[in-house]
Amino acid sequence: MTDKSVRINGHDIEVSSLDKVLFPDDGITKADLIDYYLRIAKVALTYYRDRPLSMHRYPDGIDTKGFFQKNAPDYFPDWIDRVRLSKEGGEVDYVLANNTATLVYLSNQACITPHLALARADRPHHPDRLIFDLDPSDEDFSKVQKAASQLKGLLDKLQLPVFVQTTGSRGLHLVVPLDRREDFDTVREFSDRLARYVADHDPELMTIKKTKNQRGDRVYLDVQRNAYGQTAVAPYAVRARPGAPVATPLRWSEAQAGDLGPRQYHVGNLFQRLGQIDDPWADIAQHACSLKNARKRFDAMKTN
């Protein structure tokens, strides 16, 4: 990409500093980042549309601290969709990445990693995702895989559909698609009960302790993202780590493979992967479910 302006979705987008290196160890430039999001948009936008987005920006590359930005700046063009949502003490104008042009614009702003709300903009207090974030305390990824298997076993017993992705960082996300009947407080309470139940059955492997000095070398089952205003890394988002790893949806057989690593897929091999297999999350919306029956099954399980 050498032009200083690209036309996408009928919008002329000025791009700048294309040769700026964002990933110093790999020589990956801003042009490479823009090209990645331009190419992945057809797949990724399925999960991004109508979902409030927070930007993790690194204008000087990943060796700098970077910053999170939720509010869309005034200089963002009018054609970028937004939604105004309340927060404690005020309001936030979130970006909605509803088209390819928006993804390209954000990547030109050095937004390396988009993070998405667990609820869509039209019903912001009713999530359509329940997420378990499996966060290891060390680099032994096999522990994460084992914890994921045990958690999936419980979800299967409760007849809840569950999808999995690498985070592109250290762990895995297990995602249950919801039909938006319950509000965040209800979903959060149930996810906490499930995490506590699994951790109690294998306390040497898993914990729900929030503070790192209480976790030891165990996998932390984090359900904190199941709350209004919280976000999770977007599917197919690039992470600000050496190698430009990508948060990648997986098949369950892949998630349990002995040679899987949390950063196995990256901007250099992701499109080869998608050329060989279909997107594992392509039908996630068709599995949206209520937690009502699962809650009854869980209560019955605990009393037996």
Side-chain angles (χ1 to χ4, degrees), residues 133-298:
D133 180 5
L134 277 57
D135 184 15
S137 300
D138 56 30
E139 296 301 319
D140 186 354
F141 188 65
S142 66
K143 293 179 183 177
V144 180
Q145 292 174 300
K146 185 177 179 181
S149 178
Q150 293 191 29
L151 182 54
K152 182 180 185 298
L154 173 61
L155 297 171
D156 287 346
K157 290 179 181 178
L158 300 178
Q159 299 181 30
L160 288 173
V162 57
F163 292 74
V164 61
Q165 74 168 11
T166 64
T167 63
S169 181
R170 286 157 42 88
L172 291 171
H173 281 172
L174 271 61
V175 180
V176 177
L178 303 176
D179 62 6
R180 307 203 292 174
R181 294 184 187 183
E182 287 99 351
D183 62 16
F184 268 112
D185 288 343
T186 304
V187 172
R188 172 76 168 271
E189 186 272 339
F190 188 55
S191 65
D192 182 74
R193 290 176 64 198
L194 298 186
R196 189 180 302 274
Y197 180 86
V198 173
D200 285 347
H201 277 71
D202 196 343
E204 294 186 2
L205 175 66
M206 294 172 281
T207 181
I208 58 171
K209 299 292 186 182
K210 298 181 180 65
T211 56
K212 291 184 177 181
N213 61 3
Q214 293 181 301
R215 299 180 199 170
D217 60 0
R218 295 175 293 178
V219 176
Y220 173 42
L221 303 183
D222 184 2
V223 297
Q224 304 303 309
R225 302 179 190 280
N226 299 301
Y228 177 78
Q230 296 298 308
T231 61
V233 63
Y236 298 108
V238 181
R239 303 308 301 269
R241 298 179 67 104
V246 172
T248 306
L250 302 172
R251 299 169 176 168
W252 269 103
S253 59
E254 295 177 304
Q256 293 301 308
D259 59 352
L260 179 70
R263 297 177 292 279
Q264 182 161 325
Y265 297 106
H266 49 80
V267 296
N269 65 10
L270 194 280
F271 293 105
Q272 180 182 0
R273 167 180 171 76
L274 290 179
Q276 296 171 340
I277 70 166
D278 293 333
D279 175 19
W281 283 20
D283 65 344
I284 189 171
Q286 300 173 29
H287 294 272
C289 66
S290 168
L291 296 178
K292 181 179 179 180
N293 289 333
R295 192 177 293 108
K296 291 179 180 178
R297 295 186 185 100
F298 185 62

Side-chain angles (χ1 to χ4, degrees), residues 121-135:
D122 61 332
R123 298 190 71 192
H125 294 278
H126 290 76
D128 64 348
R129 298 284 188 268
L130 183 162
I131 292 184
F132 298 93
D133 180 5
L134 277 57
D135 184 15

